[in-house]
Amino acid sequence: MKSKIALAFQNCKKEKRPALITYTVAGDNTKNNSLKILNEISKHADILELGFPHNTPIADGGQIQGSSHRALKNGIKLKDVFQIVKKFKKNNPDKPIILMGYFNLIYQKGENNFLKSCKLSGVDGLIIVDLPYPENKNFAKKCKKKSISFIQLLSPTTSRERMKKIVNDSHDMIYYISMLSTTGGRLKVSPKKILQNYNTIKRINPKKNLVIGFGITEKTISSLKSANGLVVGSMLCKIITKSLKMRQNPVTKLAKVVYNLRNKIL
Amino acid sequence: MKLKIRKNLALIDQHDKNFMYGGKFGGNFIPETLKKPIDDLTKLFAKLRKDKKFLKERDHYFKTYVGAPTPFIKLDNLTDHLGGAQIYAKVVSEANGGAHKIYNATVHCLIAKKAGKRFIVGDTGAGYAGKMLSMAAKKFGLKCKIFMGAKDIKRQRPNVEAIKKNGAEIVPVTTGSQTLVDAVSECMRYWVSNCDTTHMCVGSTVGPNIFIKICAWSTAQISRELIKQINDEFGKIPSKLKLINCVGGGSSAAGFWNEFMNTDAEFIGVEAGGPKNSKLHAAPLTNGSKIGILHGAAQYVIQDKEGQIGSTESISAGLDYPGISPLHCFLKDAKRARYTSANDEEALSAYKLVSGLENISPSLEPSHAFAEAIKLAPKLDSSEVIIVNSCGDSIKDKDIIKQKLGSYKR
């Protein structure tokens, strides 16, 4: 049986457009709001990434750090993150949801316990920022056994040889980091160059779903629409920060922005 | 289970193929982007440490630039005052710049040159790692950026001024607790974005494995000198010898103990216990913190149940860190070293006693080690020898000392 992530890509291919993948942080700015945000943006996004916040991130830029900080200040715990996923899935059982975060939280909960909670709440995939290949092999295997996709990352520094191995061992989706940057950096590489690298990876195995993330905003998204999927994260976190500052409702604001993003890649 | 230290293998090389010490400490928990730069650096360092020309170069700069060997002296007045074990100090603070951080900084600059990098970045807590990196960068013609917590910038002013004078840029870190832990995170984040042009120097024996290795390999100079100096003083290594060192990240202790690994010398590491009446501290080993992942490595780390890194507090910025080198976690579980803590007040009064009686002026970091020596010495026989690594100079702490003790004299 095909996974929900694989089905989402299949649908997008039929519609001849990339999958729109959003990233927001669980508990930003409140538990309730982050659930409402998922409910709203899922109308326009194909796959939802949900960050479980860590207070010592080594690869996040200012925007996501800000969102994580807000969420942690509100006392968000892993059990709340799973609760949010569970509630979301109740109304949107077919919309794939991917948890993203740092390994220490999984390490403390225990890998098996963590995966059990993922399964019970309906998580479809995992991105673990600081668990690279091949150190992630064992954990990725455990995920596969539970039919959870472990999403491997590739970056501009990944060697050709390494890419082949990673692509070979990957599950339903691979994430290409567009440039040398933390999340939310300004796109400092031309879209042409990014797509060149993207195509190099695609040629290793054209069947794998490859998405591009980092530096993608309303301005840059359309130039990369030939990819299988595009991830927008920091820009969304920034909108939440902004709307809170201006005392606007982050939920409606975000829904509108994601709607616009979707229109730019049709 | 007691971990085993293998004989005839350097401490830094006691890891498995996943770079884990004792199967559970260290490793490389890093973003994909850093895999290649860390891999390249690992290969380059493996080559350089076997390269006779490079070793000669290192020794040359250690001698002419760092100032090797640093003095080894007996603290006669302190010994008499306490009436027990013979107390000595390895006065590493006499090294160029005033602390052991110069060894790691010099080696990193030499490596950066070999790697063809023109930029170098580093983190700092007490400011010594930053000061030394900026000094060495200037000497070797590298452009330098130092990441430092905003709280530390305020409390370690003299080192901040030194960094600026050396022409380096200080980047104040205003996230989180605004101390060392955040400076290291921010520095790593910067490196993720700039690893193609920039070399990173982690200021202690923490972080991804290669940084632990380079740092401990550099500070090992301390014990290479000391073992000679001990033989000159005693004719042999005394049978009852205690080597006491403060531990924050653990770089000076790793270097102070390295050459004594296969001797009977006892290793005592002293963590920062924080203020007497506070629940907060920076002593994960003493207080039984659980293993977690911080800055790319598994280690005992102060954290909550969920795995969020915990707050710390210490009068000493250099020890004010929630984690501890995987090397020390390994030494603890192998029962090769034992770890304890001294609180802020004990460190301050140790500073006062030592600087009052002797012609040395240890910073608040080694004052933690002296506090333990002061506790132990009176209980021991005069045939026993205690050596304290006085690894930093107090000048950087003059504001804090003035505020706490009323005056600061040199």
Side-chain angles (χ1 to χ4, degrees):
Chain A
M1 201 181 77
K2 272 200 164 165
S3 75
K4 282 164 197 162
I5 294 176
L7 285 172
F9 282 111
Q10 197 181 312
N11 282 340
C12 293
K13 270 174 204 159
K14 261 188 219 150
E15 294 176 20
K16 294 199 165 65
R17 61 175 182 86
L20 177 60
I21 302 158
T22 56
Y23 170 93
T24 50
V25 174
D28 183 25
N29 65 324
T30 63
K31 288 171 210 167
N32 253 340
N33 270 357
S34 65
L35 175 62
K36 276 190 202 157
I37 284 171
L38 291 181
N39 281 329
E40 282 301 315
I41 62 181
S42 63
K43 292 174 192 160
H44 317 297
D46 302 290
I47 298 172
L48 304 171
E49 285 179 18
L50 185 65
F52 53 100
H54 183 40
N55 69 354
T56 317
I58 53 173
D60 283 321
Q63 297 304 336
I64 292 180
Q65 279 185 59
S67 284
S68 300
H69 183 72
R70 274 195 297 267
L72 289 169
K73 227 174 122 188
N74 284 331
I76 187 97
K77 296 273 193 289
L78 266 182
K79 68 170 181 4
D80 305 315
V81 177
F82 289 122
Q83 199 77 59
I84 291 168
V85 175
K86 202 172 177 179
K87 282 186 183 159
F88 171 79
K89 280 282 184 168
K90 213 174 157 189
N91 300 323
N92 308 271
D94 294 328
K95 191 64 81 174
I97 199 154
I98 294 171
L99 288 189
M100 179 168 181
Y102 290 82
F103 189 59
N104 196 37
L105 273 78
I106 299 173
Y107 187 85
Q108 297 313 321
K109 193 171 167 72
E111 291 180 358
N112 297 336
N113 273 338
F114 185 87
L115 289 177
K116 213 164 138 189
S117 298
C118 285
K119 206 65 211 165
L120 284 172
S121 55
V123 171
D124 299 282
L126 285 174
I127 302 176
I128 310 303
V129 181
D130 57 347
L131 193 65
Y133 187 87
E135 283 90 342
N136 61 32
K137 268 183 160 179
N138 268 338
F139 185 62
K141 253 188 218 153
K142 280 187 189 176
C143 291
K144 196 159 195 177
K145 260 195 191 150
K146 294 250 180 215
S147 314
I148 293 169
S149 285
F150 186 89
I151 289 137
Q152 298 282 0
L153 296 149
L154 297 171
S155 100
T157 57
T158 311
S159 70
R160 200 48 209 274
E161 200 189 330
R162 189 173 154 77
M163 264 179 194
K164 279 186 190 160
K165 284 187 196 155
I166 296 178
V167 171
N168 213 15
D169 272 4
S170 68
H171 300 169
D172 289 327
M173 166 176 153
I174 308 171
Y175 190 129
Y176 176 63
I177 299 167
S178 66
M179 57 179 173
L180 301 187
S181 172
T182 50
T183 51
R186 203 174 51 84
L187 201 61
K188 58 182 181 181
V189 184
S190 72
K192 199 177 145 198
K193 180 81 202 155
I194 294 170
L195 287 173
Q196 248 172 35
N197 290 344
Y198 171 89
N199 288 325
T200 308
I201 304 167
K202 272 307 265 194
R203 275 196 291 274
I204 296 172
N205 185 347
K207 281 188 191 147
K208 295 278 183 178
N209 295 306
L210 182 61
V211 308
I212 304 174
F214 285 44
I216 297 180
T217 62
E218 267 174 321
K219 283 194 185 112
T220 53
I221 194 163
S222 59
S223 61
L224 295 165
K225 67 179 176 186
S226 58
N228 295 146
L230 296 166
V231 187
V232 186
S234 292
M235 184 207 162
L236 303 182
C237 295
K238 192 174 173 180
I239 303 258
I240 298 180
T241 305
K242 247 183 164 170
S243 49
L244 289 173
K245 220 179 196 171
M246 311 200 24
R247 295 173 188 278
Q248 291 164 331
N249 182 353
V251 182
T252 47
K253 195 84 193 159
L254 221 55
K256 218 173 180 179
V257 169
V258 175
Y259 172 79
N260 286 339
L261 284 167
R262 167 72 167 254
N263 283 334
K264 292 216 155 131
I265 52 169
L266 286 181
Chain B
M1 193 188 71
K2 191 183 149 186
L3 302 179
K4 253 187 133 163
I5 300 178
R6 278 173 286 170
K7 286 250 160 82
N8 305 318
L9 186 65
L11 179 65
I12 55 172
D13 296 323
Q14 307 249 342
H15 57 73
D16 59 21
K17 67 176 191 337
N18 292 323
F19 300 96
M20 302 289 271
Y21 297 97
K24 52 183 181 176
F25 305 115
N28 286 315
F29 295 87
I30 49 172
E32 173 63 23
T33 305
L34 291 185
K35 262 282 182 187
K36 181 160 191 301
I38 281 179
D39 208 33
D40 290 348
L41 186 57
T42 304
K43 282 181 190 144
L44 177 62
F45 179 65
K47 203 179 91 189
L48 289 175
R49 63 190 280 207
K50 281 190 206 140
D51 177 349
K52 283 195 179 122
K53 228 176 102 193
F54 181 76
L55 294 179
K56 232 174 133 183
E57 211 178 336
R58 174 198 70 177
D59 292 342
H60 167 75
Y61 286 113
F62 276 3
K63 198 165 175 200
T64 60
Y65 176 62
V66 174
T70 57
F72 171 59
I73 58 168
K74 184 165 185 203
L75 304 180
D76 282 312
N77 298 334
L78 187 66
T79 301
D80 288 348
H81 177 83
L82 295 170
Q86 309 289 309
I87 306 176
Y88 286 75
K90 172 74 173 156
V91 196
V92 174
S93 59
E94 286 290 308
N96 191 9
H100 66 285
K101 297 290 185 194
I102 190 69
Y103 300 108
N104 188 41
T106 303
V107 169
H108 267 287
C109 286
L110 288 172
I111 293 174
K113 294 288 272 190
K114 301 278 179 218
K117 300 278 165 78
R118 284 177 45 233
F119 302 93
I120 194 161
V121 292
D123 58 80
T124 197
Y128 272 136
K131 178 185 169 186
M132 308 309 180
L133 190 62
S134 65
M135 262 169 59
K138 192 176 168 191
K139 175 159 180 80
F140 294 105
L142 297 161
K143 257 193 96 107
C144 177
K145 237 188 234 286
I146 301 294
F147 292 83
M148 188 170 187
K151 181 178 169 190
D152 291 337
I153 289 181
K154 267 189 213 139
R155 62 176 167 167
Q156 307 278 233
R157 199 170 42 90
N159 277 348
V160 172
E161 279 158 18
I163 294 167
K164 284 185 186 155
K165 234 169 114 185
N166 291 327
E169 182 193 342
I170 293 197
V171 184
V173 179
T174 53
T175 50
S177 61
Q178 316 199 353
T179 59
L180 180 57
V181 63
D182 310 292
V184 178
S185 303
E186 191 65 30
C187 188
M188 283 193 176
R189 288 190 285 259
Y190 181 86
W191 198 45
V192 170
S193 301
N194 298 280
C195 54
D196 49 346
T197 58
T198 304
H199 179 83
M200 179 172 75
C201 165
V202 177
S204 189
T205 40
V206 299
N209 178 262
I210 186 59
F211 295 101
I212 296 171
K213 276 190 158 174
I214 293 175
C215 184
W217 186 81
S218 308
T219 54
Q221 173 69 13
I222 301 170
S223 52
R224 267 200 301 277
E225 293 172 9
L226 182 60
I227 210 157
K228 269 190 216 139
Q229 290 166 321
I230 286 182
N231 278 314
D232 287 348
E233 173 82 14
F234 303 101
K236 59 168 185 155
I237 295 172
S239 57
K240 286 183 175 173
L241 173 65
K242 290 181 167 53
L243 298 177
I244 307 183
N245 206 121
C246 60
V247 284
S251 60
S252 66
F256 188 51
W257 296 343
N258 189 63
E259 301 292 311
F260 295 89
M261 213 51 71
N262 296 324
T263 71
D264 292 329
E266 189 187 338
F267 300 160
I268 303 170
V270 188
E271 298 185 300
K276 197 160 72 185
N277 295 320
S278 168
K279 273 192 183 151
L280 295 178
H281 56 84
L285 295 181
T286 309
N287 295 305
S289 300
K290 281 171 80 177
I291 300 175
I293 291 143
L294 174 64
H295 294 142
Q299 61 201 271
Y300 291 115
V301 56
I302 296 167
Q303 58 183 327
D304 68 12
K305 258 195 169 156
E306 288 261 304
Q308 304 295 348
I309 303 305
S311 307
T312 56
E313 193 177 358
S314 169
I315 192 169
S316 143
L319 306 181
D320 201 354
Y321 185 70
I324 169 83
S325 176
L327 293 175
H328 289 293
C329 300
F330 179 55
L331 289 175
K332 181 181 191 246
D333 281 15
K335 298 206 162 46
R336 179 64 189 89
R338 76 177 171 87
Y339 296 85
T340 180
S341 67
N343 65 33
D344 287 2
E345 290 75 12
E346 289 166 329
L348 265 173
S349 51
Y351 160 80
K352 199 175 164 187
L353 186 66
V354 174
S355 62
L357 289 172
E358 299 289 346
N359 203 15
I360 57 171
S361 191
S363 67
L364 292 171
E365 289 80 13
S367 291
H368 284 73
F370 278 110
E372 178 63 18
I374 290 164
K375 275 183 225 168
L376 280 178
K379 298 181 206 159
L380 303 174
D381 189 80
S382 64
S383 64
E384 300 205 31
V385 177
I386 288 176
I387 307 174
V388 178
N389 182 4
S390 193
C391 58
D393 189 285
S394 71
I395 189 81
K396 70 167 178 75
D397 295 322
K398 63 179 182 190
D399 293 349
I400 303 171
I401 292 169
K402 215 188 276 175
Q403 189 213 336
K404 297 276 180 187
L405 299 177
S407 68
Y408 176 76
K409 274 180 284 190
R410 266 326 264 281

